[in-house]
Amino acid sequence: MAEPDERFMRAALALAAEAAQAGEVPVGAVVVKDGVIVGRGYNRPISSADPTAHAEIVALREAARHLENYRLLGCELYVTLEPCVMCVGAMAHARIARVVYGARDPKTGACGSIVDLPALATFNHHGAFEGGVLAAESAEILRRFFAARR
């Protein structure tokens, strides 16, 4: 694992911990441009009453505002959980160059778990998608969160 991948995934994990403290499903994401975090987000659909407020979407929105462009060319997105269909679609529209995720999501994962959207030849943008970076830590924060709720 490359050092920047671990560093940025740890930043996403810190955001996931913030989500857990807020009572949201603990998923965190950061958008990186030229080695600098330009967007941060954690899950907040409950607190914002917004079904689209996944960590990735929140981070993409912040990055777009920061860069003053809806096209996030040359950006990478790090997220603690395999993205869902909605988030993969948003990443494609934003033209994210590379997505790095932690744990797989067997219920809604759209990067190979239930469907593999990035592999579709008809997708209009093909960024690189890589999973498994700090997967154990990413899965553990989710496990602890859901165990505490049972």
Side-chain angles (χ1 to χ4, degrees), residues 15-124:
L15 290 163
E18 287 186 47
Q21 288 185 339
E24 302 273 4
V25 174
V27 178
V30 296
V31 176
V32 176
K33 172 82 173 175
D34 299 326
V36 175
I37 295 175
V38 295
R40 292 173 173 78
Y42 60 80
N43 269 4
R44 56 184 74 181
I46 298 166
S47 61
S48 65
D50 178 357
T52 69
H54 288 194
E56 302 95 309
I57 302 296
V58 174
L60 288 170
R61 288 175 179 156
E62 185 174 291
R65 281 191 301 274
H66 178 84
L67 298 173
E68 299 180 335
N69 196 335
Y70 74 107
R71 296 281 196 230
L72 301 176
L73 301 173
C75 289
E76 298 175 309
L77 188 146
Y78 293 81
V79 60
T80 58
L81 184 65
E82 179 182 2
C84 71
V85 170
M86 174 184 68
C87 292
V88 171
M91 293 168 198
H93 285 295
R95 304 299 194 262
I96 294 293
R98 181 172 175 247
V99 176
V100 179
Y101 63 90
R104 284 201 155 300
D105 184 350
K107 294 184 179 179
T108 65
C111 299
S113 287
I114 64 163
V115 67
D116 194 354
L117 290 182
L120 293 177
T122 54
F123 237 43
N124 68 333

